[in-house]
Amino acid sequence: MNRLWVRLTFGFIAVTLIVVVAIGWLADSSANNEFQDYLLRQEQIAQTGLIDDLAVLYQRNSNWNGVSELIAAYNAPMGRGRGAGTGMMGRNRPPILFADANGNVIYDERNQRVGAPLSTDERNLAQTIKVNNNVVGYLILGQTGRGMMLAPTEQAFLDQLRLTLLLAGIAAVVLGIILGLLVSRTVAKPLSNLAHAARRFAARDWNTRVPVQGADEIAEVAREFNTMADEIQRAEILRRNLMADIAHELRTPLTVLQGNLSAMLDGVYPLERAEIATLYDETRLLNRLVDDLRELALAEAGQLQLNLQATDVAAIIESTAASFAVAAEMQGVRLSIDAKHLPRANADPDRLAQVLRNLISNALRHTLNDGVVTVAGQSEQNKICVSVTDTGEGIAPADLAHVFDRFYRGDKSRARASGGTGLGLAIAKTQIEAMGGQIGVTSEPGRGARFWFTLPRSVG
């Protein structure tokens, strides 16, 4: 199985086993070192002549008075070898024991077994002190190495220590398995939930989301998935709305064409130039709608062809506004221009003029008699800001966030003849952003609206 939780569990087990083996190896090495210390000390004792001196002491005194001082005198130079000192190795070196002819300990380097008898095994391992071929004493190292005979209490302690280490190793393995399962499932379950949610989302269950939980990295993945799902759901809603809007926008002129042509065929309408001109206007509207859709699609796909160059923004503002002078005068609206001494912008002149025409026509459409439409431009650091302000009815707060959406009309009852295709502001937004600028709107109901956009200044 190649599941993450299985691999993590086996990883925890492997780490636990490695730790247990490492501890066992260290313990074995320590016992081996102690055994080497034991052999070294026995060799030192054999080389010092201590056994002969003990025999001489007993011959002279007929007892073991002064044996402690004699052994201590020999023990001092031996203690300077490997394992000497007061550190851990010095404390763990094999101690010297000396017992009388009856096997009772009369000297213990560590003062732990004085008065206690030697075991049979200890007597067999001890070096005997003989006088006239009679055994009068036993010299032995209190062994602590692996496989060596120990005192009962020391052997019991060592056995208990080994059992404790064994139980600790087993407990560590079991704990590693449990922790491995817990941690692996904790890590893998959010990822499994994420994969399940992704499958449901791919099956077009757009409301699918995942709970944000787990470690920071996993929670961040869940948050990003939910954000992505929100954006995809929003895009899907916009796509559906777009298809519905396109169908609606195409249906009206096609219905007009079909109805009028049917009436002409049935003789209801006469086949005259005026009727044909009406049908022609509807075909022009259809063509305009298709052109707008194509331009919007190219802009959103990043394939809109631009001719960026150093552009005289003031000249384009004046020429574009001048083309609306007659329409403004017939409507009773004063058209004001404030765009002198502007630096050049890095822009496409034709696209810039198209955006201005769209904004000025919208301003005139929503400005009543005796109103004012102002087209202004000003330089702001490394950019140029152009604005079109009107004194019309303004835009409701609920509509401000949607004025640049495709097919959006604040006045739902507005006819196509007065309201256009509903794509003008969406196209203006994509064109300005394609030229490296920004576009926005501010408005108060009853006090007009101000549409603005920025363009980067030309560096040439």
Side-chain angles (χ1 to χ4, degrees):
M1 296 179 66
N2 196 30
R3 292 188 174 275
L4 177 61
W5 71 270
V6 175
R7 297 176 68 179
L8 286 174
T9 301
F10 278 112
F12 272 94
I13 294 174
V15 171
T16 304
L17 288 175
I18 291 173
V19 172
V20 170
V21 171
I23 293 175
W25 178 79
L26 290 174
D28 184 75
S29 298
S30 177
N32 185 58
N33 289 335
E34 291 181 7
F35 180 67
Q36 291 180 1
D37 287 337
Y38 169 78
L39 295 179
L40 178 62
R41 202 142 195 243
Q42 273 202 332
E43 183 180 354
Q44 288 177 334
I45 290 175
Q47 293 176 353
T48 57
L50 176 59
I51 296 176
D52 294 337
D53 289 343
L54 287 171
V56 171
L57 175 66
Y58 188 82
Q59 275 185 328
R60 184 175 63 242
N61 299 333
S62 298
N63 58 47
W64 290 114
N65 293 333
V67 69
S68 298
E69 291 77 4
L70 177 61
I71 296 176
Y74 275 90
N75 191 34
M78 289 190 296
R80 290 192 291 270
R82 187 160 61 100
T86 59
M88 182 63 70
M89 291 301 296
R91 290 194 300 269
N92 288 341
R93 71 188 183 188
I96 294 178
L97 299 177
F98 184 79
D100 59 15
N102 297 322
N104 296 320
V105 177
I106 59 176
Y107 174 81
D108 180 1
E109 184 179 357
R110 296 182 182 175
N111 295 321
Q112 294 177 348
R113 297 183 57 186
V114 175
L118 295 178
S119 65
T120 302
D121 292 328
E122 288 177 322
R123 289 191 184 193
N124 293 333
L125 292 172
Q127 299 185 57
T128 57
I129 312 300
K130 294 182 179 181
V131 175
N132 298 325
N133 293 324
N134 295 320
V135 177
V136 295
Y138 298 91
L139 181 66
I140 186 174
L141 292 180
Q143 298 123 346
T144 60
R146 183 177 56 185
M148 293 176 283
M149 301 303 299
L150 300 175
T153 56
E154 293 174 338
Q155 184 65 47
F157 173 77
L158 184 58
D159 292 340
Q160 182 64 36
L161 178 62
R162 288 172 178 169
L163 179 62
T164 302
L165 288 175
L166 177 62
L167 294 177
I170 296 174
V173 172
V174 173
L175 184 61
I177 294 174
I178 296 174
L179 289 178
L181 288 172
L182 291 176
V183 175
S184 61
R185 295 300 292 176
T186 301
V187 173
K189 183 153 182 62
L191 297 179
S192 178
N193 293 337
L194 183 61
H196 180 66
R199 287 192 294 268
R200 292 179 57 189
F201 202 81
R204 297 182 178 274
D205 184 359
W206 307 118
N207 293 320
T208 300
R209 299 294 185 273
V210 294
V212 178
Q213 59 186 12
D216 291 343
E217 293 80 1
I218 297 177
E220 183 178 1
V221 172
R223 280 192 295 269
E224 293 302 324
F225 176 86
N226 291 338
T227 301
M228 178 197 70
D230 293 339
E231 292 299 321
I232 293 178
Q233 185 177 24
R234 178 177 176 273
E236 177 63 16
I237 293 173
L238 291 176
R239 185 190 68 82
R240 293 177 180 177
N241 292 341
L242 175 62
M243 298 302 295
D245 291 337
I246 291 175
H248 174 74
E249 294 295 330
L250 292 174
R251 185 185 300 115
T252 301
L254 287 175
T255 300
V256 172
L257 284 172
Q258 184 179 4
N260 287 358
L261 289 172
S262 177
M264 288 180 183
L265 291 174
D266 294 339
V268 177
Y269 289 166
L271 190 61
E272 297 179 350
R273 293 177 62 87
E275 296 297 333
I276 295 176
T278 300
L279 298 179
Y280 177 70
D281 289 340
E282 294 297 327
T283 62
R284 290 179 59 192
L285 179 60
L286 278 172
N287 187 67
R288 177 185 171 190
L289 177 59
V290 171
D291 287 343
D292 286 349
L293 285 171
R294 179 177 179 276
E295 186 167 4
L296 184 62
L298 289 175
E300 291 184 345
Q303 298 178 355
L304 188 65
Q305 297 295 323
L306 295 175
N307 181 25
L308 297 178
Q309 56 184 280
T311 303
D312 189 345
V313 178
I316 292 180
I317 291 176
E318 292 177 357
S319 62
T320 304
S323 64
F324 287 91
V326 176
E329 184 178 354
M330 293 178 60
Q331 192 174 324
V333 175
R334 181 166 64 90
L335 185 61
S336 174
I337 302 174
D338 182 14
K340 294 182 179 180
H341 309 297
L342 290 179
R344 293 179 178 272
N346 185 37
D348 185 324
D350 295 333
R351 302 292 182 184
L352 175 57
Q354 183 180 351
V355 172
L356 281 171
R357 284 194 296 271
N358 192 297
L359 296 181
I360 295 173
S361 63
N362 279 347
L364 290 175
R365 189 181 299 119
H366 294 282
T367 304
L368 303 178
N369 291 339
D370 298 327
V372 179
V373 173
T374 304
V375 185
Q378 59 183 3
S379 176
E380 298 179 356
Q381 294 182 350
N382 59 345
K383 61 185 178 181
I384 298 171
C385 181
V386 179
S387 63
V388 178
T389 307
D390 65 66
T391 58
E393 71 274 15
I395 304 173
D399 296 326
L400 272 178
H402 303 285
V403 294
F404 294 103
D405 292 348
R406 294 168 293 195
F407 296 110
Y408 186 82
R409 295 188 180 94
D411 182 2
K412 302 298 185 294
S413 64
R414 191 150 41 86
R416 183 178 292 98
S418 61
T421 63
L423 295 173
L425 290 177
I427 293 174
K429 183 176 184 294
T430 58
Q431 290 176 335
I432 291 298
E433 290 178 350
M435 289 186 285
Q438 293 180 319
I439 191 169
V441 59
T442 56
S443 177
E444 294 183 22
R447 303 188 63 178
R450 176 180 180 269
F451 284 83
W452 57 267
F453 63 86
T454 62
L455 293 171
R457 292 181 59 172
S458 175
V459 295

